[in-house]
Amino acid sequence: MADDSITRYLTGQAGDTDPAETAEWRDAFLALVATHGPARARFILDELAVLARGPRVAWSPELVTPYVNTVPVERQPVFPGDLAIEEKLASIMRWNALAMVVRANSAYGELGGHIASYASAADLFEAGFNHFFRARNEQHGGDLVFFQPHSAPGVYARAFLEGRLTAEDLAHYRQEISAPQQGARGLSSYPHPWLMPDFWQFPTGSMGLGPISSIYHARFMRYLTHRQLVDCGSRKVWGVFGDGEMDEPESMSALTLASREKLDNLVWVVNCNLQRLDGPVRGNGRIVDELEKLFRGAGWNVIKLLWGSDWDGLFARDTTNALVRAFAHTVDGQMQTFAAKDGRFNRDNFFGQDEELARLAQGMTDEQIDRLKRGGHDLVKVHAAYDAAARHLGQPTVILAHTKKGYGMGAAGQGRMTTHSQKKLDDAALLEFRNRFNLPLSDEEAKGLAFHKPADDSPEMRYLHARRAALGGYLPKRLTTCDVVPVPDAAGYAQFALQAGGKEMSTTMAFVRLLGGLLKDPQLGPRIVPIVADEARTFGMANLFKQVGIYSSAGQSYEPEDIGSVLSYREALDGQILEEGISEAGAIASWTAAATSYSVHGFAMLPFYIYYSMFGFQRVGDAIWAAADQRARGFLLGATSGRTTLGGEGLQHQDGSSHLVAATIPNCKAYDPAFAGELAVIVDRGMREMLVEQRDVFYYVTLMNENYAQPDLPPEAREGAIRGCYRYARYGDATARQRVTLLGSGAILMEVIQAAQQLAADGIPTEVFSVTSWSELAREGLAREQKAIAGEEEAVAYVTAQLAGNGPVIAASDYVRAVPESIRAFVPQGRRYVTLGTDGFGRSDTRAALRQFFGVDAASIVKAAHHALA
């Protein structure tokens, strides 16, 4: 990226036809700044920019600024801590993090782990821990901190010094199964709240999900504040991410939301060590320049943290901008080489580029040149950048922090192509690291990878604890205490569904009506967060616009086109609906923020996110998995679900696999109800599990847009609807010893009922089971089987008991056959089991044609039954 678009602000650039006049303009501007100050200078520049954007000039300002620190020396605040102690503590943590990974891989070469990322980010973490990251306590709600996942060993190393982890725990890094056998705690590879539920808050191991999640958490904090539920006004969201991670589309997809919402409670720190897993992030360009353009263009405040304090003297002596010119023409691939080489190489190849640079390096030893720090390794500079970010108003802030990957690892890994995968160091490298950071370790201790912890009464330990005490306590720390939220009796809001009396409606319509009733409950209603991507009208939710409003941090400053309509669009500061636009990734991030509010804020919320089912697990399945890791509690509603109910939309809108994927997530309970009454008892049970029993589960419920007669749900069927199935009806001779058993779920249950009636007319006794959850039946059966193998229990599975009898069993759903196949192991022996499903790609046609095509219509079910009886 070393082109004119980057360097046009430099002196002596090509194309200057009148250098004398240029100098006069420059002197005039500098005089303006000196006489009237920066504010006046900015005003004049803004006025000139308006003129320059006109069609005759067609100029716009370059978004890239010189490759120097945004916070100049004269604006740096006084460093408020003990710099020597903080540097010593950071060095100790670097060592313990390194020792943890190297010990694990010396003993078990297969465990993996990372050293270089934390080596580059240690000072970025420590400045936050010592001065900015506030913990939650009675006086403060606490900051939210998203930690770069590959730096997890450094966070463990700090927790060890704090006394929250033991040396035995550190010795069992990435050994979560075997550690308890040794009386230790296994430490997860990356931040995983499911595995360390009292420690990690946010799962960030899947690149890109941490950044987008942090944005929506920051926005949800504003939502809670504006709705006067929780005051989050003094709290910040901090995210420490990698520059390579910014390539992920989720990292970038919500930047404009953050600026549009003016989320000045959000600070990102992008660790620009210039290197991803295999090589440079932008070998032939400059990632800092690219990110500066991107964030500035998206409306963020950008702070560049590039050079340490040792460079201040060089910049002060550089009256000709030789350094700025050199940096502007140095691509990241070359910068990485400078990081990997020693002082002599850098003297010859960087400062030796021209006489002006060479004069700047005169009087410096090779060691001094080698020790010149990049900004992300200088605690004073890091503090100055963080302080500026924390004080900035009206915009989210990103700090682009220049570091060296593998900082301090010397020839073993600093700046090298292989450094990300470096997991072992030889004795010489360990001693070099020890010496580089002046660690109080003997040669034998260093070679033996001994963990180091200063005495409890040492200045370092007293300082460590005092700094965290001043900031409210230790981080990361996950809390789960929150009040029980009463759930109203279903008879009050769902009687229309439980006693439907044959009224025709779709289950989507039933859900919207249920939701409207729940929103009116004085205790639960305010806790509900309805979320849609951009399909509220499609799902029949327009009536909620006026009832509870759409959340907008700007209120509604316009008169909507449909203002005279009963269903007019209404935005409000205290609106309850989160309407996220066409962004399933954003909507699921919002859902996760709401679904973890019980832990993050100590205030339980209940999100209902409704979406086209095809655009859930298939499109944002990784984000749903991360929500599961974070122990989310809420409802995902896959509307217009199945492969044949959304007839005309075709292949990419027809879902045949979401229940298959949902079944793989241990704390997700997936249901495919056919009737409004089933839906009502499932929602009721889910709310009680999450809000009253406070279990870490979430529900996935599929909904259809097909209208058909809704029967009453008998009280005796309600338990079965929760457990996964119940007998819906018998047809034909009720005394027959052998009968065909038909299983169906969702909209296909109507086809199953029609098939049963046809079979009965043919003289074949039939019974129909409504299957509300294939996965819950399979899980219960598997759990009983495992207990039986262990000798703990002999009782048969629930579905096995339900299907007791003779004759074939035919199962049909609107999903791939693997979904009903999941219970095959629990079908009673001797009963033939035939599954029908919608395998293959979807098509556009009528429901009837589609069901015939896939073989899940009534006629196909009848044929399958006759074949099974033959």
Side-chain angles (χ1 to χ4, degrees), residues 212-513:
I212 191 172
S213 185
S214 71
I215 290 174
Y216 280 88
H217 270 282
R219 202 278 296 267
F220 190 71
M221 288 164 67
R222 289 289 172 82
Y223 172 88
L224 291 173
T225 299
H226 288 155
R227 291 194 56 219
Q228 299 182 10
L229 297 173
V230 180
D231 183 4
C232 301
S234 62
R235 300 167 65 190
K236 293 280 188 184
V237 178
W238 296 83
V240 183
F241 308 118
D243 49 357
E245 186 174 4
M246 294 300 106
D247 284 347
E248 290 285 3
E250 292 90 349
S251 297
M252 300 288 100
S253 64
L255 295 186
T256 54
L257 171 87
S259 59
R260 184 169 68 248
E261 296 288 312
K262 298 179 173 60
L263 297 180
D264 51 18
N265 60 340
L266 176 66
V267 179
W268 280 12
V269 181
V270 179
N271 177 20
C272 297
N273 58 34
L274 313 185
Q275 189 173 331
R276 51 194 178 201
L277 278 65
D278 291 332
V281 178
R282 295 291 184 273
N284 297 304
R286 292 230 300 270
I287 189 61
V288 169
D289 290 339
E290 184 176 320
L291 292 179
E292 182 179 20
K293 279 186 177 182
L294 186 64
F295 281 94
R296 285 193 191 280
W300 286 52
N301 174 45
V302 178
I303 296 175
K304 287 158 67 168
L305 169 62
L306 305 180
W307 308 110
S309 300
D310 292 343
W311 288 87
D312 290 341
L314 294 174
F315 280 111
R317 297 200 305 273
D318 182 18
T319 58
T320 63
N321 280 333
L323 283 173
V324 176
R325 285 197 302 275
F327 292 145
H329 292 90
T330 303
V331 296
D332 284 353
Q334 187 62 44
M335 196 73 77
Q336 180 190 3
T337 301
F338 291 148
K341 301 298 185 179
D342 59 15
R344 168 54 61 181
F345 181 90
N346 281 276
R347 179 191 297 279
D348 295 341
N349 293 275
F350 178 76
F351 289 103
Q353 293 180 69
D354 58 48
E355 292 183 3
E356 292 173 301
L357 288 172
R359 280 196 296 271
L360 290 175
Q362 285 179 355
M364 297 179 68
T365 66
D366 290 347
E367 183 179 3
Q368 287 174 321
I369 292 175
D370 189 49
R371 292 296 185 99
L372 286 171
K373 288 182 179 179
R374 296 182 181 179
H377 300 307
D378 187 317
L379 287 169
V380 173
K381 297 293 187 182
V382 176
H383 176 272
Y386 283 19
D387 181 75
R391 295 175 184 276
H392 188 77
L393 299 176
Q395 292 172 289
T397 293
V398 61
I399 297 170
L400 304 177
H402 193 22
T403 65
K404 295 179 181 179
K405 193 157 190 175
Y407 178 66
M409 292 173 65
Q414 179 171 288
R416 299 192 178 275
M417 293 291 188
T418 58
T419 189
H420 186 83
S421 301
Q422 189 73 36
K423 298 168 179 46
K424 296 181 180 181
L425 282 79
D426 60 22
D427 289 349
L430 291 171
L431 293 175
E432 182 183 356
F433 191 94
R434 187 267 320 263
N435 296 338
R436 170 68 179 80
F437 292 104
N438 195 28
L439 291 158
L441 297 167
S442 68
D443 286 0
E444 289 307 309
E445 288 173 327
K447 293 176 185 177
L449 296 165
F451 296 125
H452 178 68
K453 185 176 183 181
D456 290 342
D457 61 351
S458 66
E460 294 84 3
M461 295 298 284
R462 291 200 304 269
Y463 185 90
L464 177 88
H465 292 296
R467 290 311 309 145
R468 287 314 310 163
L471 290 168
Y474 301 108
L475 284 175
K477 186 176 183 179
R478 183 176 177 274
L479 303 171
T480 58
T481 303
C482 69
D483 293 336
V484 167
V485 180
V487 174
D489 190 273
Y493 65 88
Q495 194 65 22
F496 77 94
L498 298 171
Q499 301 292 326
K503 182 179 179 181
E504 285 203 357
M505 71 179 85
S506 67
T507 50
T508 298
M509 184 188 305
F511 163 72
V512 174
R513 189 169 172 184

Side-chain angles (χ1 to χ4, degrees), residues 791-820:
E792 299 175 13
E793 187 174 323
E794 292 297 334
V796 299
Y798 172 77
V799 67
T800 306
Q802 292 298 303
L803 298 181
N806 300 306
V809 180
I810 315 297
S813 82
D814 214 4
Y815 299 88
V816 294
R817 290 176 58 206
V819 172

Side-chain angles (χ1 to χ4, degrees), residues 727-764:
R727 182 183 286 110
Y728 173 74
R730 284 194 172 107
Y731 300 88
D733 184 359
T735 64
R737 294 187 59 189
Q738 184 173 5
R739 66 181 64 248
V740 174
T741 299
L742 302 182
L743 311 182
S745 69
I748 300 304
L749 181 60
M750 304 306 295
E751 302 289 339
V752 167
I753 293 170
Q754 186 179 339
Q757 293 168 342
Q758 180 61 54
L759 288 167
D762 295 342
I764 302 173

Side-chain angles (χ1 to χ4, degrees), residues 518-599:
L518 289 170
L519 285 165
K520 294 174 183 175
D521 184 79
Q523 291 182 288
L524 176 61
R527 308 281 191 125
I528 291 175
V529 185
I531 302 173
V532 288
D534 191 38
E535 295 283 359
R537 297 185 192 276
T538 301
F539 302 137
M541 297 174 65
N543 63 305
L544 298 181
F545 292 167
K546 278 199 171 180
Q547 181 180 338
V548 294
I550 299 164
Y551 171 70
S552 169
S553 61
Q556 189 164 39
S557 57
Y558 62 94
E559 185 176 281
E561 171 274 328
D562 59 353
I563 192 169
S565 167
V566 175
L567 304 179
S568 65
Y569 200 77
R570 183 175 76 87
E571 298 184 76
L573 185 64
D574 61 350
Q576 201 158 344
I577 301 169
L578 290 175
E579 215 279 5
E580 302 296 8
I582 305 174
S583 173
E584 285 84 7
I588 196 65
S590 258
W591 181 84
T592 303
T596 57
S597 180
Y598 75 93
S599 170

Side-chain angles (χ1 to χ4, degrees), residues 75-131:
R75 283 182 26 218
Q76 283 181 200
V78 175
F79 186 73
D82 187 316
L83 183 59
I85 287 181
E86 289 191 25
E87 288 180 337
K88 186 177 293 186
L89 284 169
S91 297
I92 293 170
M93 289 170 205
R94 276 192 174 93
W95 170 261
N96 287 334
L98 177 148
M100 184 190 327
V101 175
V102 176
R103 281 175 65 149
N105 284 279
S106 295
Y108 308 98
E110 66 202 81
L111 291 179
H114 303 86
I115 302 170
S117 292
Y118 178 70
S120 68
D123 297 299
L124 301 176
F125 280 50
E126 284 305 296
F129 277 123
N130 286 323
H131 301 285

Side-chain angles (χ1 to χ4, degrees), residues 156 176 188-197 200 202-205 629:
Y156 294 140
E176 293 154 304
S188 61
S189 54
Y190 305 120
H192 291 304
W194 188 264
L195 299 171
M196 299 180 69
W200 294 113
F202 307 108
T204 56
D629 187 353

Side-chain angles (χ1 to χ4, degrees), residues 146 149 190-195 200-214 217 245 250 478 585 588-593 595-596 598 600 616-617 619-633 636 661 664-668 696 698:
F146 290 75
Y190 305 120
H192 291 304
W194 188 264
L195 299 171
W200 294 113
Q201 268 194 307
F202 307 108
T204 56
S206 190
M207 298 287 101
L209 297 189
I212 191 172
S213 185
S214 71
H217 270 282
E245 186 174 4
E250 292 90 349
R478 183 176 177 274
I588 196 65
S590 258
W591 181 84
T592 303
T596 57
Y598 75 93
V600 176
F617 285 88
R619 186 163 190 156
V620 292
D622 194 20
I624 296 174
W625 186 261
D629 187 353
Q630 201 173 327
R631 297 173 174 256
R633 300 173 184 173
L636 297 173
V661 182
T664 66
I665 300 180
N667 54 337
C668 174
D696 296 337
F698 65 97

